[in-house]
mmCIF file of all heavy atoms in Angstrom:
data_model
loop_
_atom_site.group_PDB
_atom_site.id
_atom_site.type_symbol
_atom_site.label_atom_id
_atom_site.label_comp_id
_atom_site.label_asym_id
_atom_site.label_seq_id
_atom_site.Cartn_x
_atom_site.Cartn_y
_atom_site.Cartn_z
ATOM 1 N N PRO A 24 -36.044 -19.787 111.829
ATOM 2 C CA PRO A 24 -34.997 -20.758 112.024
ATOM 3 C C PRO A 24 -35.406 -22.206 111.585
ATOM 4 O O PRO A 24 -36.637 -22.508 111.483
ATOM 5 C CB PRO A 24 -34.809 -20.775 113.568
ATOM 6 C CG PRO A 24 -36.151 -20.365 114.120
ATOM 7 C CD PRO A 24 -36.694 -19.322 113.158
ATOM 8 N N GLN A 25 -34.416 -22.999 111.260
ATOM 9 C CA GLN A 25 -34.726 -24.393 110.943
ATOM 10 C C GLN A 25 -35.106 -25.141 112.163
ATOM 11 O O GLN A 25 -34.438 -24.981 113.248
ATOM 12 C CB GLN A 25 -33.364 -25.010 110.397
ATOM 13 C CG GLN A 25 -33.512 -26.418 109.990
ATOM 14 C CD GLN A 25 -34.165 -26.604 108.648
ATOM 15 O OE1 GLN A 25 -34.244 -25.688 107.895
ATOM 16 N NE2 GLN A 25 -34.724 -27.827 108.381
ATOM 17 N N PRO A 26 -36.268 -25.833 112.173
ATOM 18 C CA PRO A 26 -36.762 -26.483 113.348
ATOM 19 C C PRO A 26 -35.780 -27.617 113.749
ATOM 20 O O PRO A 26 -35.327 -28.401 112.903
ATOM 21 C CB PRO A 26 -38.066 -27.027 112.962
ATOM 22 C CG PRO A 26 -38.139 -26.982 111.517
ATOM 23 C CD PRO A 26 -37.232 -25.874 111.054
ATOM 24 N N GLY A 27 -35.387 -27.657 114.996
ATOM 25 C CA GLY A 27 -34.487 -28.653 115.480
ATOM 26 C C GLY A 27 -35.259 -29.803 116.089
ATOM 27 O O GLY A 27 -36.462 -29.890 116.058
ATOM 28 N N ARG A 28 -34.491 -30.708 116.724
ATOM 29 C CA ARG A 28 -35.145 -31.854 117.365
ATOM 30 C C ARG A 28 -36.022 -31.374 118.507
ATOM 31 O O ARG A 28 -35.663 -30.583 119.311
ATOM 32 C CB ARG A 28 -34.012 -32.761 117.892
ATOM 33 C CG ARG A 28 -34.492 -34.068 118.529
ATOM 34 C CD ARG A 28 -33.350 -34.827 119.079
ATOM 35 N NE ARG A 28 -33.811 -36.139 119.617
ATOM 36 C CZ ARG A 28 -33.943 -37.265 118.968
ATOM 37 N NH1 ARG A 28 -33.786 -37.253 117.631
ATOM 38 N NH2 ARG A 28 -34.440 -38.378 119.516
ATOM 39 N N GLY A 29 -37.272 -31.878 118.435
ATOM 40 C CA GLY A 29 -38.228 -31.490 119.549
ATOM 41 C C GLY A 29 -38.892 -30.215 119.315
ATOM 42 O O GLY A 29 -39.530 -29.693 120.156
ATOM 43 N N GLU A 30 -38.736 -29.669 118.064
ATOM 44 C CA GLU A 30 -39.465 -28.430 117.709
ATOM 45 C C GLU A 30 -40.377 -28.651 116.569
ATOM 46 O O GLU A 30 -40.330 -29.661 115.854
ATOM 47 C CB GLU A 30 -38.413 -27.327 117.282
ATOM 48 C CG GLU A 30 -37.503 -26.868 118.425
ATOM 49 C CD GLU A 30 -36.587 -25.690 118.027
ATOM 50 O OE1 GLU A 30 -36.097 -25.800 116.929
ATOM 51 O OE2 GLU A 30 -36.387 -24.786 118.794
ATOM 52 N N VAL A 31 -41.344 -27.704 116.422
ATOM 53 C CA VAL A 31 -42.387 -27.761 115.334
ATOM 54 C C VAL A 31 -42.297 -26.463 114.570
ATOM 55 O O VAL A 31 -42.054 -25.336 115.079
ATOM 56 C CB VAL A 31 -43.733 -27.987 115.874
ATOM 57 C CG1 VAL A 31 -43.818 -29.413 116.505
ATOM 58 C CG2 VAL A 31 -44.169 -26.930 116.924
ATOM 59 N N LEU A 32 -42.660 -26.633 113.311
ATOM 60 C CA LEU A 32 -42.839 -25.485 112.369
ATOM 61 C C LEU A 32 -44.377 -25.440 112.218
ATOM 62 O O LEU A 32 -45.004 -26.335 111.746
ATOM 63 C CB LEU A 32 -42.123 -25.651 111.023
ATOM 64 C CG LEU A 32 -42.539 -24.628 109.968
ATOM 65 C CD1 LEU A 32 -42.172 -23.247 110.315
ATOM 66 C CD2 LEU A 32 -41.940 -25.113 108.597
ATOM 67 N N VAL A 33 -44.985 -24.294 112.570
ATOM 68 C CA VAL A 33 -46.407 -23.995 112.430
ATOM 69 C C VAL A 33 -46.735 -23.052 111.362
ATOM 70 O O VAL A 33 -46.087 -21.961 111.311
ATOM 71 C CB VAL A 33 -46.977 -23.617 113.786
ATOM 72 C CG1 VAL A 33 -48.499 -23.366 113.684
ATOM 73 C CG2 VAL A 33 -46.646 -24.556 114.906
ATOM 74 N N ARG A 34 -47.648 -23.345 110.524
ATOM 75 C CA ARG A 34 -48.191 -22.434 109.534
ATOM 76 C C ARG A 34 -49.511 -21.843 110.126
ATOM 77 O O ARG A 34 -50.415 -22.619 110.397
ATOM 78 C CB ARG A 34 -48.481 -23.022 108.144
ATOM 79 C CG ARG A 34 -49.229 -22.124 107.242
ATOM 80 C CD ARG A 34 -49.330 -22.740 105.806
ATOM 81 N NE ARG A 34 -50.019 -24.015 105.817
ATOM 82 C CZ ARG A 34 -51.322 -24.175 105.810
ATOM 83 N NH1 ARG A 34 -52.133 -23.088 105.792
ATOM 84 N NH2 ARG A 34 -51.847 -25.385 105.734
ATOM 85 N N THR A 35 -49.592 -20.584 110.314
ATOM 86 C CA THR A 35 -50.734 -19.995 111.082
ATOM 87 C C THR A 35 -51.938 -19.961 110.140
ATOM 88 O O THR A 35 -51.890 -19.589 108.930
ATOM 89 C CB THR A 35 -50.432 -18.568 111.488
ATOM 90 O OG1 THR A 35 -49.111 -18.591 112.201
ATOM 91 C CG2 THR A 35 -51.486 -18.046 112.454
ATOM 92 N N LEU A 36 -53.073 -20.344 110.787
ATOM 93 C CA LEU A 36 -54.387 -20.198 110.061
ATOM 94 C C LEU A 36 -55.114 -19.023 110.546
ATOM 95 O O LEU A 36 -55.696 -18.240 109.807
ATOM 96 C CB LEU A 36 -55.248 -21.468 110.446
ATOM 97 C CG LEU A 36 -54.642 -22.812 109.960
ATOM 98 C CD1 LEU A 36 -55.604 -23.952 110.513
ATOM 99 C CD2 LEU A 36 -54.616 -22.870 108.457
ATOM 100 N N HIS A 37 -55.143 -18.817 111.918
ATOM 101 C CA HIS A 37 -55.818 -17.626 112.483
ATOM 102 C C HIS A 37 -55.060 -17.215 113.783
ATOM 103 O O HIS A 37 -54.375 -18.006 114.414
ATOM 104 C CB HIS A 37 -57.244 -18.061 112.959
ATOM 105 C CG HIS A 37 -58.127 -18.506 111.839
ATOM 106 N ND1 HIS A 37 -58.762 -17.639 110.967
ATOM 107 C CD2 HIS A 37 -58.571 -19.825 111.584
ATOM 108 C CE1 HIS A 37 -59.473 -18.390 110.127
ATOM 109 N NE2 HIS A 37 -59.404 -19.673 110.480
ATOM 110 N N SER A 38 -55.177 -15.940 114.065
ATOM 111 C CA SER A 38 -54.850 -15.464 115.371
ATOM 112 C C SER A 38 -55.956 -14.566 115.841
ATOM 113 O O SER A 38 -56.814 -14.111 115.076
ATOM 114 C CB SER A 38 -53.486 -14.734 115.381
ATOM 115 O OG SER A 38 -53.466 -13.612 114.496
ATOM 116 N N GLY A 39 -55.968 -14.301 117.124
ATOM 117 C CA GLY A 39 -57.001 -13.424 117.735
ATOM 118 C C GLY A 39 -56.352 -12.190 118.340
ATOM 119 O O GLY A 39 -55.278 -12.285 118.954
ATOM 120 N N VAL A 40 -57.056 -11.082 118.240
ATOM 121 C CA VAL A 40 -56.596 -9.838 118.931
ATOM 122 C C VAL A 40 -57.412 -9.747 120.265
ATOM 123 O O VAL A 40 -58.579 -9.673 120.213
ATOM 124 C CB VAL A 40 -56.835 -8.587 118.099
ATOM 125 C CG1 VAL A 40 -56.432 -7.350 118.875
ATOM 126 C CG2 VAL A 40 -56.069 -8.610 116.759
ATOM 127 N N SER A 41 -56.675 -9.945 121.370
ATOM 128 C CA SER A 41 -57.224 -9.822 122.651
ATOM 129 C C SER A 41 -57.405 -8.318 122.906
ATOM 130 O O SER A 41 -56.509 -7.648 123.278
ATOM 131 C CB SER A 41 -56.401 -10.398 123.726
ATOM 132 O OG SER A 41 -56.935 -10.244 125.003
ATOM 133 N N ARG A 42 -58.657 -7.796 122.654
ATOM 134 C CA ARG A 42 -58.871 -6.372 122.500
ATOM 135 C C ARG A 42 -58.406 -5.571 123.775
ATOM 136 O O ARG A 42 -57.717 -4.485 123.647
ATOM 137 C CB ARG A 42 -60.291 -6.056 122.252
ATOM 138 C CG ARG A 42 -60.576 -4.575 121.942
ATOM 139 C CD ARG A 42 -61.966 -4.362 121.427
ATOM 140 N NE ARG A 42 -62.196 -2.950 121.142
ATOM 141 C CZ ARG A 42 -62.615 -2.056 121.957
ATOM 142 N NH1 ARG A 42 -62.872 -2.419 123.207
ATOM 143 N NH2 ARG A 42 -62.747 -0.790 121.647
ATOM 144 N N GLY A 43 -58.674 -6.101 124.985
ATOM 145 C CA GLY A 43 -58.295 -5.354 126.189
ATOM 146 C C GLY A 43 -56.813 -5.218 126.364
ATOM 147 O O GLY A 43 -56.218 -4.140 126.309
ATOM 148 N N THR A 44 -56.079 -6.341 126.453
ATOM 149 C CA THR A 44 -54.655 -6.360 126.742
ATOM 150 C C THR A 44 -53.861 -5.805 125.533
ATOM 151 O O THR A 44 -52.942 -4.960 125.677
ATOM 152 C CB THR A 44 -54.171 -7.730 127.071
ATOM 153 O OG1 THR A 44 -54.896 -8.146 128.244
ATOM 154 C CG2 THR A 44 -52.676 -7.661 127.389
ATOM 155 N N GLU A 45 -54.209 -6.260 124.330
ATOM 156 C CA GLU A 45 -53.377 -5.878 123.153
ATOM 157 C C GLU A 45 -53.532 -4.423 122.752
ATOM 158 O O GLU A 45 -52.636 -3.824 122.285
ATOM 159 C CB GLU A 45 -53.738 -6.742 121.994
ATOM 160 C CG GLU A 45 -53.085 -8.137 122.183
ATOM 161 C CD GLU A 45 -53.091 -8.929 120.868
ATOM 162 O OE1 GLU A 45 -52.452 -8.525 119.889
ATOM 163 O OE2 GLU A 45 -53.714 -10.078 120.852
ATOM 164 N N THR A 46 -54.739 -3.864 122.973
ATOM 165 C CA THR A 46 -54.849 -2.412 122.666
ATOM 166 C C THR A 46 -54.195 -1.578 123.709
ATOM 167 O O THR A 46 -53.640 -0.518 123.377
ATOM 168 C CB THR A 46 -56.379 -1.997 122.505
ATOM 169 O OG1 THR A 46 -57.073 -2.292 123.733
ATOM 170 C CG2 THR A 46 -57.055 -2.794 121.322
ATOM 171 N N LEU A 47 -54.095 -2.067 124.953
ATOM 172 C CA LEU A 47 -53.356 -1.325 126.021
ATOM 173 C C LEU A 47 -51.857 -1.375 125.617
ATOM 174 O O LEU A 47 -51.174 -0.343 125.715
ATOM 175 C CB LEU A 47 -53.587 -2.045 127.353
ATOM 176 C CG LEU A 47 -52.936 -1.340 128.562
ATOM 177 C CD1 LEU A 47 -53.866 -1.628 129.778
ATOM 178 C CD2 LEU A 47 -51.571 -1.908 128.885
ATOM 179 N N VAL A 48 -51.374 -2.551 125.134
ATOM 180 C CA VAL A 48 -49.986 -2.635 124.698
ATOM 181 C C VAL A 48 -49.742 -1.674 123.516
ATOM 182 O O VAL A 48 -48.814 -0.946 123.384
ATOM 183 C CB VAL A 48 -49.609 -4.062 124.346
ATOM 184 C CG1 VAL A 48 -48.263 -4.112 123.629
ATOM 185 C CG2 VAL A 48 -49.553 -4.951 125.565
ATOM 186 N N PHE A 49 -50.764 -1.660 122.569
ATOM 187 C CA PHE A 49 -50.603 -0.894 121.381
ATOM 188 C C PHE A 49 -50.497 0.595 121.652
ATOM 189 O O PHE A 49 -49.737 1.314 120.929
ATOM 190 C CB PHE A 49 -51.838 -1.156 120.421
ATOM 191 C CG PHE A 49 -51.741 -0.519 119.103
ATOM 192 C CD1 PHE A 49 -51.000 -1.089 118.119
ATOM 193 C CD2 PHE A 49 -52.485 0.593 118.841
ATOM 194 C CE1 PHE A 49 -50.860 -0.514 116.841
ATOM 195 C CE2 PHE A 49 -52.405 1.172 117.557
ATOM 196 C CZ PHE A 49 -51.618 0.663 116.544
ATOM 197 N N ARG A 50 -51.184 1.037 122.624
ATOM 198 C CA ARG A 50 -51.096 2.525 122.958
ATOM 199 C C ARG A 50 -49.873 2.820 123.866
ATOM 200 O O ARG A 50 -49.683 3.979 124.283
ATOM 201 C CB ARG A 50 -52.389 3.035 123.559
ATOM 202 C CG ARG A 50 -52.757 2.521 124.945
ATOM 203 C CD ARG A 50 -53.976 3.219 125.487
ATOM 204 N NE ARG A 50 -54.359 2.716 126.804
ATOM 205 C CZ ARG A 50 -53.847 3.107 127.926
ATOM 206 N NH1 ARG A 50 -52.830 4.055 127.941
ATOM 207 N NH2 ARG A 50 -54.245 2.665 129.092
ATOM 208 N N GLY A 51 -49.087 1.793 124.235
ATOM 209 C CA GLY A 51 -47.956 2.023 125.082
ATOM 210 C C GLY A 51 -48.299 2.157 126.594
ATOM 211 O O GLY A 51 -47.655 2.868 127.275
ATOM 212 N N GLY A 52 -49.401 1.491 126.986
ATOM 213 C CA GLY A 52 -49.888 1.720 128.366
ATOM 214 C C GLY A 52 -49.403 0.740 129.375
ATOM 215 O O GLY A 52 -50.023 0.677 130.488
ATOM 216 N N VAL A 53 -48.433 -0.077 129.095
ATOM 217 C CA VAL A 53 -47.924 -0.983 130.136
ATOM 218 C C VAL A 53 -46.953 -0.360 131.071
ATOM 219 O O VAL A 53 -45.959 0.247 130.592
ATOM 220 C CB VAL A 53 -47.195 -2.240 129.453
ATOM 221 C CG1 VAL A 53 -46.686 -3.174 130.533
ATOM 222 C CG2 VAL A 53 -48.092 -2.921 128.486
ATOM 223 N N PRO A 54 -47.261 -0.222 132.395
ATOM 224 C CA PRO A 54 -46.348 0.485 133.304
ATOM 225 C C PRO A 54 -45.025 -0.198 133.367
ATOM 226 O O PRO A 54 -44.943 -1.437 133.261
ATOM 227 C CB PRO A 54 -47.080 0.358 134.682
ATOM 228 C CG PRO A 54 -48.389 -0.272 134.409
ATOM 229 C CD PRO A 54 -48.471 -0.787 132.971
ATOM 230 N N GLU A 55 -43.979 0.591 133.615
ATOM 231 C CA GLU A 55 -42.592 -0.001 133.602
ATOM 232 C C GLU A 55 -42.484 -1.073 134.679
ATOM 233 O O GLU A 55 -41.756 -2.080 134.493
ATOM 234 C CB GLU A 55 -41.624 1.162 133.898
ATOM 235 C CG GLU A 55 -40.134 0.723 133.827
ATOM 236 C CD GLU A 55 -39.187 1.862 133.898
ATOM 237 O OE1 GLU A 55 -39.650 3.023 133.874
ATOM 238 O OE2 GLU A 55 -37.964 1.556 134.018
ATOM 239 N N SER A 56 -43.202 -0.863 135.790
ATOM 240 C CA SER A 56 -43.101 -1.851 136.853
ATOM 241 C C SER A 56 -43.673 -3.248 136.477
ATOM 242 O O SER A 56 -43.457 -4.226 137.088
ATOM 243 C CB SER A 56 -43.878 -1.330 138.104
ATOM 244 O OG SER A 56 -45.258 -1.257 137.864
ATOM 245 N N GLN A 57 -44.498 -3.243 135.345
ATOM 246 C CA GLN A 57 -45.083 -4.524 134.954
ATOM 247 C C GLN A 57 -44.524 -5.077 133.674
ATOM 248 O O GLN A 57 -45.128 -6.012 133.119
ATOM 249 C CB GLN A 57 -46.671 -4.298 134.789
ATOM 250 C CG GLN A 57 -47.340 -3.911 136.081
ATOM 251 C CD GLN A 57 -47.140 -5.001 137.115
ATOM 252 O OE1 GLN A 57 -47.538 -6.172 136.863
ATOM 253 N NE2 GLN A 57 -46.601 -4.703 138.252
ATOM 254 N N HIS A 58 -43.437 -4.485 133.230
ATOM 255 C CA HIS A 58 -42.894 -4.979 131.884
ATOM 256 C C HIS A 58 -42.519 -6.462 131.953
ATOM 257 O O HIS A 58 -42.814 -7.210 130.981
ATOM 258 C CB HIS A 58 -41.621 -4.114 131.587
ATOM 259 C CG HIS A 58 -41.912 -2.803 131.049
ATOM 260 N ND1 HIS A 58 -40.974 -1.953 130.461
ATOM 261 C CD2 HIS A 58 -43.115 -2.119 130.945
ATOM 262 C CE1 HIS A 58 -41.513 -0.899 130.069
ATOM 263 N NE2 HIS A 58 -42.838 -0.899 130.351
ATOM 264 N N ALA A 59 -41.946 -6.951 133.068
ATOM 265 C CA ALA A 59 -41.628 -8.305 133.184
ATOM 266 C C ALA A 59 -42.861 -9.231 133.246
ATOM 267 O O ALA A 59 -43.015 -10.222 132.607
ATOM 268 C CB ALA A 59 -40.624 -8.576 134.333
ATOM 269 N N ALA A 60 -43.817 -8.779 134.113
ATOM 270 C CA ALA A 60 -45.004 -9.577 134.401
ATOM 271 C C ALA A 60 -45.847 -9.696 133.101
ATOM 272 O O ALA A 60 -46.579 -10.698 132.906
ATOM 273 C CB ALA A 60 -45.806 -8.991 135.486
ATOM 274 N N MET A 61 -45.849 -8.716 132.249
ATOM 275 C CA MET A 61 -46.667 -8.614 131.137
ATOM 276 C C MET A 61 -46.082 -9.243 129.817
ATOM 277 O O MET A 61 -46.668 -9.312 128.760
ATOM 278 C CB MET A 61 -47.075 -7.183 130.724
ATOM 279 C CG MET A 61 -48.186 -6.576 131.594
ATOM 280 S SD MET A 61 -49.747 -7.340 131.154
ATOM 281 C CE MET A 61 -49.976 -6.566 129.569
ATOM 282 N N ARG A 62 -44.870 -9.799 129.936
ATOM 283 C CA ARG A 62 -44.253 -10.379 128.757
ATOM 284 C C ARG A 62 -45.079 -11.589 128.337
ATOM 285 O O ARG A 62 -45.424 -12.462 129.125
ATOM 286 C CB ARG A 62 -42.804 -10.928 129.078
ATOM 287 C CG ARG A 62 -41.820 -9.787 129.102
ATOM 288 C CD ARG A 62 -40.383 -10.404 129.083
ATOM 289 N NE ARG A 62 -40.125 -11.037 127.777
ATOM 290 C CZ ARG A 62 -39.596 -10.343 126.719
ATOM 291 N NH1 ARG A 62 -39.354 -9.087 126.810
ATOM 292 N NH2 ARG A 62 -39.378 -10.985 125.576
ATOM 293 N N ALA A 63 -45.297 -11.622 127.030
ATOM 294 C CA ALA A 63 -45.985 -12.806 126.416
ATOM 295 C C ALA A 63 -44.934 -13.885 126.258
ATOM 296 O O ALA A 63 -43.691 -13.619 126.084
ATOM 297 C CB ALA A 63 -46.623 -12.450 125.008
#
């Protein structure tokens, strides 16, 4: 989207893979009861 007032456009340099949480998400291991709590 076009950045509006009070917003920023960021060009990414690096990101990190949080191995524990992200690999759990990757394998589909988030319990349904925790879908809301686990939202990034």
Side-chain angles (χ1 to χ4, degrees):
Q25 181 78 18
R28 185 179 179 87
E30 293 185 319
V31 293
L32 168 65
V33 178
R34 172 173 58 84
T35 310
L36 299 174
H37 300 285
S38 60
V40 178
S41 178
R42 188 171 180 270
T44 302
E45 287 196 59
T46 58
L47 186 148
V48 170
F49 186 76
R50 69 175 178 82
V53 179
E55 186 173 352
S56 65
Q57 295 301 301
H58 283 190
M61 280 288 292
R62 283 194 68 87

